[in-house]
Amino acid sequence: MREALDGKPDEPIRVGVLGARGRMGAEVCRAVDGTDDLDLVAAVDEGDELSAVADAGARVVVDFTTPDAVMDNLRWCVDQGIHAVVGTTGFTGQRLDQVRDWLSDRPGVGVVIAPNFGIGAVLMMQFAARAARFFESVEIIEQHHPRKLDAPSGTATYTARAIARARAEAGLGPAPDATKDEVPGARGAEIDGVRVHAVRAAGLVAHQEVLFGTTGETLTIRHDSYDRVSFMPGVLLAVRSVVRRPGLTVGLDALLDDG
Ligand SMILES: NC(=O)c1ccc[n+]([C@@H]2O[C@H](COP(=O)([O-])OP(=O)(O)OC[C@H]3O[C@@H](n4cnc5c(N)ncnc54)[C@H](O)[C@@H]3O)[C@@H](O)[C@H]2O)c1
Ligand SMILES: O=C(O)C1=N[C@H](C(=O)O)CCC1
Protein backbone atom coordinates (compact mmCIF):
# COMPACT_ATOMS: atom_id res chain seq x y z
CA MET A 1 0.00 0.00 0.00
CA ARG A 2 1.43 3.42 -0.97
CA GLU A 3 1.46 6.44 1.28
CA ALA A 4 -0.56 9.55 0.32
CA LEU A 5 0.71 13.11 0.90
CA ASP A 6 -1.20 13.34 4.19
CA GLY A 7 0.76 10.35 5.50
CA LYS A 8 -2.25 7.99 5.43
CA PRO A 9 -1.91 4.89 3.26
CA ASP A 10 -3.74 5.05 -0.11
CA GLU A 11 -6.27 2.24 -0.54
CA PRO A 12 -5.45 0.06 -3.57
CA ILE A 13 -7.78 0.67 -6.53
CA ARG A 14 -10.14 -2.29 -6.88
CA VAL A 15 -10.15 -3.47 -10.50
CA GLY A 16 -12.50 -5.77 -12.45
CA VAL A 17 -11.51 -7.17 -15.85
CA LEU A 18 -14.05 -7.99 -18.59
CA GLY A 19 -12.84 -10.44 -21.24
CA ALA A 20 -10.57 -11.89 -18.57
CA ARG A 21 -9.98 -15.21 -20.38
CA GLY A 22 -9.05 -13.51 -23.66
CA ARG A 23 -5.55 -12.72 -24.94
CA MET A 24 -5.55 -9.15 -23.62
CA GLY A 25 -7.79 -9.71 -20.59
CA ALA A 26 -5.52 -12.46 -19.24
CA GLU A 27 -2.47 -10.22 -19.68
CA VAL A 28 -4.26 -7.36 -17.87
CA CYS A 29 -5.12 -9.68 -14.95
CA ARG A 30 -1.43 -10.62 -14.64
CA ALA A 31 -0.34 -6.97 -14.88
CA VAL A 32 -2.82 -5.78 -12.22
CA ASP A 33 -1.82 -8.68 -9.96
CA GLY A 34 1.81 -7.61 -10.29
CA THR A 35 1.24 -4.14 -8.79
CA ASP A 36 0.90 -3.17 -5.14
CA ASP A 37 -1.47 -0.23 -5.71
CA LEU A 38 -4.15 -2.11 -7.71
CA ASP A 39 -6.24 -5.10 -6.55
CA LEU A 40 -7.76 -7.53 -9.05
CA VAL A 41 -11.18 -8.20 -7.47
CA ALA A 42 -13.16 -9.65 -10.42
CA ALA A 43 -12.24 -11.50 -13.62
CA VAL A 44 -15.31 -11.87 -15.84
CA ASP A 45 -15.72 -13.45 -19.27
CA GLU A 46 -18.61 -14.37 -21.57
CA GLY A 47 -21.35 -16.23 -19.69
CA ASP A 48 -20.37 -14.80 -16.27
CA GLU A 49 -22.64 -12.31 -14.50
CA LEU A 50 -21.51 -8.69 -14.74
CA SER A 51 -22.91 -8.21 -11.26
CA ALA A 52 -19.81 -10.06 -9.95
CA VAL A 53 -17.89 -6.85 -10.68
CA ALA A 54 -20.20 -4.69 -8.56
CA ASP A 55 -20.47 -7.36 -5.84
CA ALA A 56 -16.67 -7.36 -5.59
CA GLY A 57 -16.66 -3.57 -5.11
CA ALA A 58 -14.65 -2.78 -8.27
CA ARG A 59 -13.93 0.92 -8.69
CA VAL A 60 -12.48 0.55 -12.19
CA VAL A 61 -13.38 -1.93 -14.95
CA VAL A 62 -11.00 -2.78 -17.79
CA ASP A 63 -12.78 -4.02 -20.94
CA PHE A 64 -11.03 -6.09 -23.61
CA THR A 65 -13.98 -7.99 -25.09
CA THR A 66 -15.48 -7.60 -28.57
CA PRO A 67 -16.96 -4.72 -30.56
CA ASP A 68 -20.37 -6.45 -30.22
CA ALA A 69 -20.21 -6.73 -26.42
CA VAL A 70 -18.47 -3.55 -25.36
CA MET A 71 -21.33 -1.03 -25.54
CA ASP A 72 -23.61 -3.03 -23.22
CA ASN A 73 -20.71 -3.50 -20.79
CA LEU A 74 -19.88 0.19 -20.82
CA ARG A 75 -23.49 1.25 -20.33
CA TRP A 76 -23.67 -1.04 -17.30
CA CYS A 77 -20.44 0.37 -15.81
CA VAL A 78 -21.58 3.97 -16.21
CA ASP A 79 -24.99 3.15 -14.68
CA GLN A 80 -23.22 1.53 -11.72
CA GLY A 81 -20.90 4.53 -11.28
CA ILE A 82 -17.84 2.39 -12.06
CA HIS A 83 -14.98 4.02 -14.00
CA ALA A 84 -13.97 2.20 -17.20
CA VAL A 85 -10.80 1.72 -19.23
CA VAL A 86 -11.66 0.34 -22.65
CA GLY A 87 -9.26 -1.21 -25.15
CA THR A 88 -11.90 -2.98 -27.20
CA THR A 89 -12.08 -1.61 -30.73
CA GLY A 90 -15.04 -0.62 -32.92
CA PHE A 91 -15.62 2.92 -31.59
CA THR A 92 -17.24 5.05 -34.30
CA GLY A 93 -18.01 8.75 -33.74
CA GLN A 94 -21.60 7.73 -33.09
CA ARG A 95 -20.58 5.28 -30.35
CA LEU A 96 -18.39 7.89 -28.69
CA ASP A 97 -21.30 10.37 -28.70
CA GLN A 98 -23.48 7.70 -27.09
CA VAL A 99 -20.94 7.23 -24.29
CA ARG A 100 -20.73 11.02 -23.75
CA ASP A 101 -24.51 11.07 -23.48
CA TRP A 102 -24.53 8.35 -20.79
CA LEU A 103 -21.77 10.15 -18.89
CA SER A 104 -23.70 13.42 -18.88
CA ASP A 105 -26.05 11.79 -16.33
CA ARG A 106 -23.10 10.55 -14.25
CA PRO A 107 -20.76 13.54 -13.81
CA GLY A 108 -18.30 11.78 -11.45
CA VAL A 109 -17.61 8.80 -13.70
CA GLY A 110 -14.58 8.57 -15.98
CA VAL A 111 -14.16 6.49 -19.15
CA VAL A 112 -10.89 6.15 -21.08
CA ILE A 113 -11.18 4.57 -24.52
CA ALA A 114 -7.94 3.99 -26.41
CA PRO A 115 -7.45 2.09 -29.66
CA ASN A 116 -3.88 1.29 -28.68
CA PHE A 117 -2.27 1.28 -25.21
CA GLY A 118 1.28 0.81 -26.53
CA ILE A 119 3.28 3.92 -25.65
CA GLY A 120 5.26 3.53 -28.88
CA ALA A 121 2.03 3.22 -30.84
CA VAL A 122 0.68 6.44 -29.31
CA LEU A 123 3.89 8.22 -30.32
CA MET A 124 3.71 6.68 -33.82
CA MET A 125 0.21 8.14 -34.22
CA GLN A 126 1.35 11.55 -32.93
CA PHE A 127 4.39 11.58 -35.25
CA ALA A 128 2.17 10.62 -38.20
CA ALA A 129 -0.27 13.45 -37.46
CA ARG A 130 2.68 15.87 -37.25
CA ALA A 131 4.18 14.68 -40.55
CA ALA A 132 0.87 14.70 -42.42
CA ARG A 133 0.87 18.28 -43.69
CA PHE A 134 4.29 17.94 -45.34
CA PHE A 135 3.44 15.08 -47.74
CA GLU A 136 1.02 14.87 -50.66
CA SER A 137 0.69 11.07 -50.40
CA VAL A 138 -0.06 8.89 -47.40
CA GLU A 139 -1.10 5.25 -46.94
CA ILE A 140 -1.46 3.15 -43.79
CA ILE A 141 -0.52 -0.54 -43.67
CA GLU A 142 -1.66 -2.31 -40.51
CA GLN A 143 -0.59 -5.90 -39.80
CA HIS A 144 -2.12 -8.19 -37.18
CA HIS A 145 -2.49 -11.80 -36.05
CA PRO A 146 -5.14 -13.75 -37.99
CA ARG A 147 -7.46 -14.23 -34.99
CA LYS A 148 -8.25 -10.52 -34.93
CA LEU A 149 -12.00 -10.06 -35.52
CA ASP A 150 -12.06 -6.56 -37.04
CA ALA A 151 -10.44 -4.75 -39.98
CA PRO A 152 -9.15 -2.18 -40.33
CA SER A 153 -7.70 -2.00 -36.83
CA GLY A 154 -8.84 0.64 -34.35
CA THR A 155 -5.32 2.05 -34.43
CA ALA A 156 -5.37 2.44 -38.22
CA THR A 157 -8.79 4.13 -38.12
CA TYR A 158 -7.67 6.53 -35.38
CA THR A 159 -4.44 7.31 -37.28
CA ALA A 160 -6.28 7.88 -40.56
CA ARG A 161 -8.68 10.32 -38.94
CA ALA A 162 -5.85 12.26 -37.27
CA ILE A 163 -3.95 12.46 -40.57
CA ALA A 164 -7.09 13.54 -42.43
CA ARG A 165 -7.69 16.33 -39.88
CA ALA A 166 -4.10 17.56 -40.25
CA ARG A 167 -4.31 17.46 -44.06
CA ALA A 168 -7.58 19.39 -44.03
CA GLU A 169 -6.13 22.04 -41.68
CA ALA A 170 -3.16 22.40 -44.05
CA GLY A 171 -5.48 22.74 -47.05
CA LEU A 172 -4.22 19.55 -48.73
CA GLY A 173 -6.56 17.94 -51.25
CA PRO A 174 -6.83 14.21 -52.06
CA ALA A 175 -3.57 12.27 -52.45
CA PRO A 176 -2.63 11.86 -56.12
CA ASP A 177 -3.79 8.48 -57.50
CA ALA A 178 -4.52 7.67 -61.17
CA THR A 179 -4.96 3.94 -60.51
CA LYS A 180 -8.17 2.18 -61.52
CA ASP A 181 -9.07 -0.76 -59.22
CA GLU A 182 -8.95 -3.79 -61.56
CA VAL A 183 -9.95 -5.96 -58.60
CA PRO A 184 -12.20 -4.36 -55.93
CA GLY A 185 -10.22 -3.77 -52.75
CA ALA A 186 -6.83 -3.77 -54.46
CA ARG A 187 -6.22 -0.22 -53.25
CA GLY A 188 -7.44 -0.97 -49.73
CA ALA A 189 -10.18 0.73 -47.74
CA GLU A 190 -10.61 4.50 -47.47
CA ILE A 191 -11.07 6.29 -44.14
CA ASP A 192 -11.61 10.04 -44.41
CA GLY A 193 -9.72 9.96 -47.73
CA VAL A 194 -6.74 7.98 -46.38
CA ARG A 195 -6.04 4.51 -47.86
CA VAL A 196 -5.73 1.75 -45.25
CA HIS A 197 -4.47 -1.78 -45.98
CA ALA A 198 -5.09 -4.60 -43.48
CA VAL A 199 -2.69 -7.57 -43.47
CA ARG A 200 -3.40 -10.71 -41.38
CA ALA A 201 -0.65 -13.34 -40.91
CA ALA A 202 0.34 -15.97 -38.36
CA GLY A 203 3.31 -14.85 -36.30
CA LEU A 204 2.25 -11.20 -36.19
CA VAL A 205 0.92 -9.47 -33.06
CA ALA A 206 0.17 -5.79 -33.85
CA HIS A 207 2.14 -3.64 -36.29
CA GLN A 208 1.55 -0.50 -38.31
CA GLU A 209 3.39 1.50 -40.95
CA VAL A 210 2.42 4.95 -42.11
CA LEU A 211 4.00 5.67 -45.49
CA PHE A 212 4.27 9.31 -46.56
CA GLY A 213 5.49 10.45 -49.98
CA THR A 214 6.35 13.64 -51.78
CA THR A 215 8.68 14.65 -54.59
CA GLY A 216 11.87 12.61 -54.39
CA GLU A 217 11.38 11.26 -50.85
CA THR A 218 9.29 9.03 -48.63
CA LEU A 219 8.99 8.82 -44.88
CA THR A 220 7.94 5.61 -43.12
CA ILE A 221 6.81 5.70 -39.51
CA ARG A 222 6.52 2.20 -38.07
CA HIS A 223 5.54 0.66 -34.77
CA ASP A 224 5.67 -3.03 -33.73
CA SER A 225 4.14 -4.75 -30.73
CA TYR A 226 5.82 -8.17 -30.54
CA ASP A 227 4.14 -9.13 -27.27
CA ARG A 228 0.92 -8.08 -25.51
CA VAL A 229 2.93 -7.01 -22.46
CA SER A 230 3.72 -3.92 -24.58
CA PHE A 231 0.19 -2.66 -23.90
CA MET A 232 0.35 -3.05 -20.11
CA PRO A 233 2.13 0.18 -19.04
CA GLY A 234 -0.55 2.13 -20.94
CA VAL A 235 -3.40 0.10 -19.44
CA LEU A 236 -2.06 0.55 -15.88
CA LEU A 237 -1.55 4.27 -16.48
CA ALA A 238 -5.18 4.55 -17.63
CA VAL A 239 -6.50 2.60 -14.60
CA ARG A 240 -4.62 4.90 -12.21
CA SER A 241 -5.69 8.03 -14.11
CA VAL A 242 -9.36 7.34 -14.83
CA VAL A 243 -10.42 7.69 -11.17
CA ARG A 244 -9.50 11.39 -11.28
CA ARG A 245 -10.58 12.07 -14.87
CA PRO A 246 -14.37 12.37 -15.09
CA GLY A 247 -16.02 12.30 -18.52
CA LEU A 248 -14.78 10.67 -21.70
CA THR A 249 -11.10 10.61 -22.66
CA VAL A 250 -10.29 9.22 -26.10
CA GLY A 251 -6.72 8.05 -26.67
CA LEU A 252 -3.80 8.05 -24.25
CA ASP A 253 -2.28 11.36 -25.39
CA ALA A 254 -3.71 13.49 -22.57
CA LEU A 255 -2.71 10.91 -19.94
CA LEU A 256 0.89 10.83 -21.15
CA ASP A 257 1.00 14.64 -21.14
CA ASP A 258 -0.25 14.65 -17.50
CA GLY A 259 2.95 13.10 -16.37
N1 LIG B 1 -6.41 -0.94 -27.23
C1 LIG B 1 -5.40 -1.80 -27.34
O1 LIG B 1 -4.23 -1.48 -27.04
C2 LIG B 1 -5.67 -3.19 -27.82
C3 LIG B 1 -4.67 -4.17 -27.83
C4 LIG B 1 -5.01 -5.46 -28.20
C5 LIG B 1 -6.31 -5.76 -28.52
N2 LIG B 1 -7.26 -4.78 -28.53
C6 LIG B 1 -8.67 -5.05 -28.79
O2 LIG B 1 -9.19 -5.69 -27.63
C7 LIG B 1 -10.26 -6.57 -27.99
C8 LIG B 1 -9.95 -7.96 -27.45
O3 LIG B 1 -8.80 -8.49 -28.07
P1 LIG B 1 -8.24 -9.94 -27.69
O4 LIG B 1 -7.13 -10.23 -28.63
O5 LIG B 1 -7.97 -9.99 -26.22
O6 LIG B 1 -9.51 -10.84 -28.04
P2 LIG B 1 -9.89 -12.27 -27.45
O7 LIG B 1 -10.89 -12.85 -28.41
O8 LIG B 1 -8.68 -13.05 -27.11
O9 LIG B 1 -10.63 -11.91 -26.07
C9 LIG B 1 -11.92 -11.39 -25.95
C10 LIG B 1 -12.54 -12.03 -24.73
O10 LIG B 1 -13.77 -11.37 -24.44
C11 LIG B 1 -14.69 -12.36 -24.03
N3 LIG B 1 -16.05 -11.81 -24.13
C12 LIG B 1 -16.85 -11.73 -25.24
N4 LIG B 1 -18.01 -11.15 -24.90
C13 LIG B 1 -17.96 -10.87 -23.58
C14 LIG B 1 -18.85 -10.26 -22.66
N5 LIG B 1 -20.06 -9.83 -23.04
N6 LIG B 1 -18.46 -10.11 -21.36
C15 LIG B 1 -17.23 -10.53 -20.95
N7 LIG B 1 -16.35 -11.13 -21.78
C16 LIG B 1 -16.71 -11.29 -23.08
C17 LIG B 1 -14.39 -13.55 -24.93
O11 LIG B 1 -14.93 -14.76 -24.41
C18 LIG B 1 -12.88 -13.53 -24.92
O12 LIG B 1 -12.34 -14.29 -23.84
C19 LIG B 1 -10.34 -6.48 -29.53
O13 LIG B 1 -11.33 -5.52 -29.87
C20 LIG B 1 -8.96 -6.00 -29.93
O14 LIG B 1 -8.96 -5.33 -31.15
C21 LIG B 1 -6.96 -3.52 -28.19
O1 LIG C 1 -4.80 -7.64 -31.40
C1 LIG C 1 -5.64 -6.76 -31.66
O2 LIG C 1 -6.81 -7.01 -31.99
C2 LIG C 1 -5.24 -5.34 -31.55
N1 LIG C 1 -6.14 -4.44 -31.74
C3 LIG C 1 -5.96 -3.04 -31.62
C4 LIG C 1 -6.44 -2.33 -32.86
O3 LIG C 1 -7.40 -2.79 -33.50
O4 LIG C 1 -5.89 -1.28 -33.20
C5 LIG C 1 -4.60 -2.61 -31.14
C6 LIG C 1 -3.52 -3.54 -31.45
C7 LIG C 1 -3.86 -5.00 -31.16
Side-chain angles (χ1 to χ4, degrees):
M1 208 176 282
R2 295 191 310 184
E3 198 136 300
L5 289 177
D6 61 6
K8 290 186 196 141
D10 264 345
E11 284 298 315
I13 300 173
R14 298 172 73 79
V15 180
V17 175
L18 305 185
R21 288 196 290 273
R23 288 176 287 271
M24 283 298 288
E27 199 65 60
V28 173
C29 291
R30 278 191 288 278
V32 169
D33 257 345
T35 68
D36 57 9
D37 62 330
L38 310 177
D39 262 1
L40 179 66
V41 295
V44 166
D45 206 279
E46 202 168 12
D48 300 334
E49 294 294 334
L50 267 182
S51 56
V53 172
D55 294 346
R59 199 171 159 211
V60 177
V61 150
V62 180
D63 186 300
F64 280 96
T65 58
T66 68
D68 284 346
V70 66
M71 288 304 274
D72 286 347
N73 291 344
L74 202 38
R75 169 93 223 221
W76 182 86
C77 290
V78 173
D79 283 351
Q80 298 287 321
I82 299 174
H83 308 288
V85 170
V86 180
T88 309
T89 46
F91 278 88
T92 57
Q94 207 178 3
R95 281 187 168 205
L96 294 175
D97 285 344
Q98 174 72 83
V99 176
R100 281 188 195 96
D101 190 44
W102 296 336
L103 285 168
S104 64
D105 292 334
R106 286 285 186 166
V109 179
V111 173
V112 173
I113 300 176
N116 200 314
F117 284 96
I119 306 297
V122 175
L123 293 173
M124 173 264 294
M125 291 186 265
Q126 291 181 359
F127 297 158
R130 167 141 172 66
R133 71 189 171 97
F134 299 104
F135 294 87
E136 57 189 311
S137 296
V138 58
E139 306 232 347
I140 297 173
I141 305 101
E142 58 97 325
Q143 305 182 351
H144 283 84
H145 59 94
R147 286 187 288 172
K148 182 165 177 57
L149 296 180
D150 53 327
S153 70
T155 308
T157 302
Y158 190 90
T159 313
R161 291 189 179 135
I163 288 172
R165 273 196 304 276
R167 285 176 68 91
E169 277 165 23
L172 290 180
D177 182 5
T179 306
K180 176 173 163 286
D181 260 4
E182 299 293 348
V183 177
R187 293 283 295 111
E190 203 179 303
I191 296 176
D192 292 355
V194 178
R195 292 279 172 189
V196 180
H197 309 270
V199 177
R200 298 289 176 265
L204 295 175
V205 177
H207 317 258
Q208 180 166 294
E209 257 183 42
V210 186
L211 172 65
F212 291 101
T214 190
T215 312
E217 62 172 329
T218 62
L219 169 69
T220 303
I221 302 175
R222 182 178 172 104
H223 175 260
D224 298 275
S225 272
Y226 299 108
D227 191 302
R228 289 179 180 83
V229 293
S230 63
F231 303 114
M232 296 306 119
V235 171
L236 297 180
L237 170 67
V239 170
R240 291 174 177 126
S241 304
V242 72
V243 295
R244 49 186 159 72
R245 189 173 262 286
L248 176 63
T249 305
V250 180
L252 274 202
D253 309 69
L255 276 57
L256 293 179
D257 289 344
D258 279 354

